[in-house]
Amino acid sequence: MTTDLRTLRETIEDALRHYQPEQSATSQPLIDAMRYASLSGGKRIRPMLVCATCTGLGGSLADALAPACAIEYIHAYSLIHDDLPSMDDDELRHGLPSTHVKFGEATAILAGDGLHSLAFETLANAPNIAPALRLRAVQLLSRAIGWEGMVGGQSFDLEATGKSLSLSELQTLHAAKTGALIKVAVQIGAVLAGVEQSKPETFVLLSEFADRLGLAFQIIDDVLDVTQSTEVLGKPAGSDADAGKSTFPALLGLEPAQEMAEALLAEALPMLSRIGLQNDELAELAQLAIDREF
Ligand code: GRG
């Protein structure tokens, strides 16, 4: 990772702490669980995508930080709920006990709910952003994580467990479950830079770039689940096969799956060149999403 991206990640870590409550007179375990789930590790890819897209299009990093945190709070909520016994029943996340193992199931559910609300509060109150752009970001985010986006994809995933999906069904599942949040991170970065209105063709191109990135990211996630250890992943390795899930390596084979991710990236990167961004951060992030160990 370049120094610029490292610095960006540290700036995001500070902002993630800044927008979180620390104390509550009535519900300290809830706050502790929210902070545990959202501040103890994670690659921060989605908030970096918001910031890199915004600054690459000439927008301000300072303005992008609150919306970037909103996206990461949503991601943290989704991981808490995904790990619950009623969902994937995973006891390890970021190399630590999952939130429900550490705080109990009821508090974990509420911490996910609390982070979901905190995300929209942070986005709706984001400083220095025109109200119309904030509203647009809220519209895009609510749609991306709802019944036809992330939550819909999770539901499809639960329904599909133990069944064999076709490649096209698997792509549809992950476009919703994983892809929608990655795509909206890029879209919100573009909205903040004012590009959806001023350069609609750039917005469409970035959305198409993000579709490919989201799918490639998920394919690599499936590959790493097979090739890496629990220690490196910080979450249980081999969990897809154990849970009876359809995956890209199971459908295509390990190497073809890796090649599919690389082909998606090879299609996506020239789209950024066509746009002509002001820095290379988005391209570097896309590369990192594929060249990663966990
Ligand atoms: C429970 C509403 C609800 C949704 C869950 C995103 C999701 C949907 C579940 C997470 C489980 C999973 C493996 C999803 C695939 C997407 C994915 C690769 C998530 C992990 O993202 P990273 O690698 O996480 O960016 P870090 O740990 O870096 O924050």
Side-chain angles (χ1 to χ4, degrees), residues 41-46 72 74-84 87-88 90 93-94 145 150-155 157 174 176-179 181-182 217-218 221-222 233 235 239-240 245 292 294:
K43 295 181 286 297
R44 310 309 191 194
I45 282 177
R46 295 157 192 81
E72 189 67 0
I74 292 290
H75 173 61
Y77 126 70
S78 79
L79 296 184
I80 299 175
H81 283 195
D82 188 63
D83 288 339
L84 288 169
M87 299 229 193
D88 278 4
D90 279 329
R93 174 70 64 183
H94 301 141
I145 67 170
M150 185 180 77
V151 168
Q154 179 76 352
S155 179
D157 194 17
H174 287 302
K177 180 181 155 181
T178 310
L181 192 60
I182 289 180
F217 184 85
Q218 179 62 52
D221 208 70
D222 285 2
L233 293 177
K235 61 183 179 181
S239 60
D240 293 333
K245 295 200 177 184
R292 61 192 173 102
F294 60 90

Side-chain angles (χ1 to χ4, degrees), residues 18-274:
H18 171 76
Y19 288 109
Q20 294 253 355
E22 275 182 51
Q23 302 284 331
S24 161
T26 51
S27 54
Q28 195 56 40
L30 172 68
I31 303 303
D32 292 344
M34 286 167 65
R35 293 180 71 85
Y36 178 81
S38 57
L39 301 176
S40 325
K43 295 181 286 297
R44 310 309 191 194
I45 282 177
R46 295 157 192 81
M48 287 202 280
L49 286 173
V50 176
C51 296
T53 307
C54 181
T55 60
L57 293 166
S60 139
L61 173 60
D63 294 355
L65 283 174
C69 289
I71 301 268
E72 189 67 0
Y73 295 148
I74 292 290
H75 173 61
Y77 126 70
S78 79
L79 296 184
I80 299 175
H81 283 195
D82 188 63
D83 288 339
L84 288 169
S86 55
M87 299 229 193
D88 278 4
D89 196 11
D90 279 329
E91 302 205 333
L92 196 67
R93 174 70 64 183
H94 301 141
L96 295 167
S98 305
T99 308
H100 66 274
V101 174
K102 175 100 175 162
F103 292 90
E105 197 172 340
T107 300
I109 292 170
L110 292 172
D113 297 341
L115 284 163
H116 181 280
S117 298
L118 180 66
F120 282 100
E121 184 184 347
T122 308
L123 183 55
N125 291 330
N128 293 325
I129 297 166
L133 297 186
R134 270 184 281 153
L135 177 60
R136 183 65 185 136
V138 168
Q139 283 173 338
L140 287 169
L141 183 60
S142 52
R143 185 161 187 180
I145 67 170
W147 64 271
E148 58 189 342
M150 185 180 77
V151 168
Q154 179 76 352
S155 179
F156 187 179
D157 194 17
L158 294 175
E159 292 288 321
T161 300
K163 300 179 190 155
S164 336
L165 297 182
S166 68
L167 182 59
S168 129
E169 286 169 328
L170 195 59
Q171 285 186 229
T172 303
L173 190 165
H174 287 302
K177 180 181 155 181
T178 310
L181 192 60
I182 289 180
K183 180 174 179 173
V184 83
V186 171
Q187 289 179 323
I188 287 179
V191 164
L192 299 174
V195 157
E196 191 187 14
Q197 290 281 342
S198 64
K199 291 186 192 158
E201 65 293 347
T202 296
F203 188 80
V204 170
L205 210 47
L206 279 168
S207 302
E208 289 172 2
F209 158 83
D211 279 335
R212 285 159 182 76
L213 176 61
L215 184 56
F217 184 85
Q218 179 62 52
I219 295 170
I220 295 299
D221 208 70
D222 285 2
V223 167
L224 293 175
D225 189 63
V226 179
T227 56
Q228 290 289 13
S229 64
T230 297
E231 202 180 22
V232 170
L233 293 177
K235 61 183 179 181
S239 60
D240 293 333
D242 291 351
K245 295 200 177 184
S246 293
T247 65
F248 291 97
L251 265 180
L252 303 171
L254 207 48
E255 256 183 53
Q258 176 80 34
E259 284 162 12
M260 183 176 170
E262 285 162 13
L264 284 161
L265 192 70
E267 249 177 63
L269 288 176
M271 295 176 174
L272 298 186
S273 308
R274 277 164 63 193

